[in-house]
Amino acid sequence: METIQTEIEGVVVVKPRVFEDERGYFFESYSKRDFDKQVRGIAFVQDNESRSSYGVLRGLHYQKWPFTQSKLVRVLKGRVLDVAVDIRKGSPTFGKHVAVELSGDNRLQLFIPRGFAHGFAVLSEEAVFQYKCDDFYHPESEGGIAWDDPQLAIDWRLPENDIILSQKDKVHPMLKDIDSPFDFNVSLY
């Protein structure tokens, strides 16, 4: 696999080595040995998968301490714009984000470390999204930030009228209105 550092330290694009011929293709979607060596030592404990239609925007979500999560995300079918927002107080990139198009065709993956909010928007007719987490989901620990926060200025690459949100995602506060549970100077690992 190849790793590509983004403009925010710790957020990494993972590009697998794909072997294709007339029969189809093969690639390792995850190798603990390679991932630990090239990105970060992680013990993933839960895999999740979702299917969403065009215009669905899920996010921006995070889990608070002590149940904060790292995620390794990818798309099996379709295309999404995947976004990671740095919400670590004191970070030189606090409030900045990385946006990467993930698709079943490009097979890219994005690693989102602890201390980041995460979300994605479906750009294709349908998308099947898969992610690995290094802690279990704890509903009492969830937090969120408004997808349309002007401070974040995320271009979701969708017309606003096409965006479909859950009831929960419609009411998240702006970044300036949350007391981030993450501190850049305190290790989250």
Side-chain angles (χ1 to χ4, degrees):
M1 69 183 218
E2 177 186 348
T3 55
I4 304 161
Q5 296 299 318
T6 67
E7 54 272 16
I8 299 180
E9 186 178 347
V11 180
V12 178
V13 175
V14 177
K15 183 177 180 181
R17 192 164 31 144
V18 180
F19 302 94
E20 293 187 81
D21 61 25
E22 65 280 351
R23 300 167 299 158
Y25 69 85
F26 170 85
F27 70 95
E28 284 184 354
S29 61
Y30 176 72
S31 161
K32 179 166 179 48
R33 178 193 60 229
D34 294 345
F35 193 87
D36 287 359
K37 187 185 323 177
Q38 292 179 249
V39 180
R40 164 180 281 289
I42 289 285
F44 290 114
V45 297
Q46 181 174 323
D47 283 7
N48 302 314
E49 183 172 304
S50 67
R51 184 191 61 76
S52 304
S53 303
Y54 169 78
V56 167
L57 193 155
R58 296 180 186 261
L60 295 159
H61 305 144
Y62 60 92
Q63 279 198 175
K64 301 170 192 160
W65 187 259
F67 304 113
T68 186
Q69 292 177 323
S70 298
K71 297 177 182 174
L72 178 63
V73 301
R74 70 187 185 117
V75 170
L76 302 177
K77 175 184 176 186
R79 295 182 311 122
V80 308
L81 183 70
D82 199 76
V83 176
V85 179
D86 187 351
I87 59 170
R88 299 168 297 167
K89 292 184 280 195
S91 169
T93 53
F94 178 82
K96 304 291 184 209
H97 69 275
V98 169
V100 177
E101 184 173 312
L102 305 178
S103 73
D105 291 334
N106 72 20
R107 300 181 186 101
L108 296 177
Q109 299 178 52
L110 187 65
F111 175 70
I112 301 113
R114 296 174 180 182
F116 285 74
H118 172 252
F120 68 90
V122 179
L123 307 176
S124 54
E125 184 177 325
E126 177 183 78
V128 177
F129 189 85
Q130 190 176 67
Y131 50 108
K132 302 175 103 37
C133 300
D134 72 339
D135 200 347
F136 299 103
Y137 172 65
H138 294 272
E140 72 281 5
S141 181
E142 66 184 15
I145 300 168
W147 67 276
D148 59 349
D149 185 333
Q151 179 183 348
L152 304 179
I154 299 169
D155 176 2
W156 290 99
R157 296 178 33 199
L158 291 170
E160 191 168 341
N161 290 342
D162 289 353
I163 293 176
I164 302 165
L165 300 165
S166 70
Q167 284 305 116
K168 183 171 58 175
D169 287 347
K170 289 179 181 178
V171 297
H172 290 311
M174 301 295 174
L175 179 60
K176 68 179 178 59
D177 296 324
I178 69 164
D179 181 20
S180 177
F182 309 113
D183 186 325
F184 179 72
N185 297 305
V186 176
S187 175
L188 298 172
Y189 290 93

